[in-house]
Amino acid sequence: MLLIRKAKETDRNNVALCIAEGFEKDFSILCKDNKKVANAIATGLNMERFYVADIKGNIAGVLAISDCNGRAAKADRVFLRKYFGFFKGTVGALILKEEFEKPLDYPVTTGYIEFVAVQKKYRKQGIATTMLQESMSLANYQDFVLDVTDVNINAMKCYQNIGFEECKRIPEKHGKQKGFNERIFMRYCPSNKRE
């Protein structure tokens, strides 16, 4: 049975592992070992921002909802260096700080969805869709924004099926090295869908 719930402190390591697996390609520049990646990022996670898809006590998927008052993760340079080595850990801290900690320029009424990830063995079962819908209904925001890369076609389809609509595109710096050209920002307004 699938249960969508707020993450607990005891979920920290499993949430980190789900993120490491879900963003495996992104982290592979720093480290190809998902367990090391999970250990490197776990301490920087703000568990109060996370929701989990729980199947019989197993974390099948995660997502976070941040806002202008705070983000879901911080880059912990000490742990990044510990697990990736001094050089990759230092570079990783710089890259992840920009990605994880950049302040959000949205009103307090807007939730920013990030870290949407489903473990491989649970994919293509509608878990991401259910997790998004239920976590958004649990969160107290008037609207929601997220971004997705232009190459992540499956995620875009999932978001569009829920009711997210593209609102802008931003070319990615160093896109060739990152493997995508643009970030696509999408917005969802629950009040518009009720009419």
Side-chain angles (χ1 to χ4, degrees):
M1 184 171 144
L2 177 63
L3 169 68
I4 307 303
R5 62 172 173 79
K6 290 281 285 178
K8 304 173 195 167
E9 181 57 39
T10 55
D11 297 322
R12 179 178 296 278
N13 292 334
N14 290 321
V15 168
L17 191 56
C18 192
I19 292 169
E21 188 175 294
F23 293 91
E24 187 172 42
K25 185 180 175 202
D26 301 299
F27 285 115
S28 68
I29 296 167
L30 299 170
C31 181
K32 295 186 186 327
D33 181 335
N34 288 342
K35 287 184 180 176
K36 276 188 177 179
V37 171
N39 288 333
I41 65 172
T43 59
L45 300 179
N46 179 354
M47 296 307 292
E48 293 177 13
R49 298 268 180 201
F50 281 90
Y51 293 83
V52 298
D54 183 319
I55 298 178
K56 297 179 183 173
N58 296 313
I59 304 299
V62 302
L63 68 75
I65 304 179
S66 299
D67 58 33
C68 61
N69 293 317
R71 298 289 300 270
K74 291 186 180 201
D76 187 326
R77 184 173 35 187
V78 172
F79 277 83
L80 291 167
R81 286 178 176 171
K82 177 179 178 179
Y83 289 99
F84 300 159
F86 182 81
F87 179 74
K88 283 188 176 180
T90 302
V91 171
L94 292 170
I95 293 167
L96 295 177
K97 184 173 179 66
E98 171 69 19
E99 186 71 26
F100 290 0
E101 299 178 36
K102 185 176 181 181
L104 298 172
D105 190 23
Y106 298 111
V108 72
T109 56
T110 299
Y112 180 74
I113 297 173
E114 55 188 338
F115 295 111
V116 180
V118 175
Q119 284 195 27
K120 287 178 187 174
K121 67 182 179 181
Y122 294 110
R123 291 183 188 159
K124 304 214 184 281
Q125 298 177 32
I127 291 173
T129 299
T130 301
M131 190 170 54
L132 281 157
Q133 290 171 325
E134 291 192 26
S135 62
M136 288 188 302
S137 72
L138 292 170
N140 192 22
Y141 295 101
Q142 290 177 8
D143 63 334
F144 297 88
V145 175
L146 56 76
D147 70 82
V148 60
T149 62
D150 60 348
V151 296
N152 197 344
I153 305 302
N154 289 336
M156 277 190 277
K157 285 180 184 175
C158 172
Y159 302 144
Q160 288 168 337
N161 288 340
I162 292 169
F164 279 88
E165 297 175 355
E166 183 177 329
C167 55
K168 71 178 172 181
R169 289 179 180 241
I170 297 179
E172 185 66 20
K173 293 178 188 173
H174 312 292
K176 194 175 258 187
Q177 293 86 348
K178 293 179 179 178
F180 64 96
N181 298 312
E182 296 176 307
R183 287 187 188 266
I184 300 169
F185 287 80
M186 302 179 84
R187 181 177 296 275
Y188 175 78
C189 298
S191 60
N192 292 349
K193 303 305 170 197
R194 291 186 194 130
E195 296 172 0

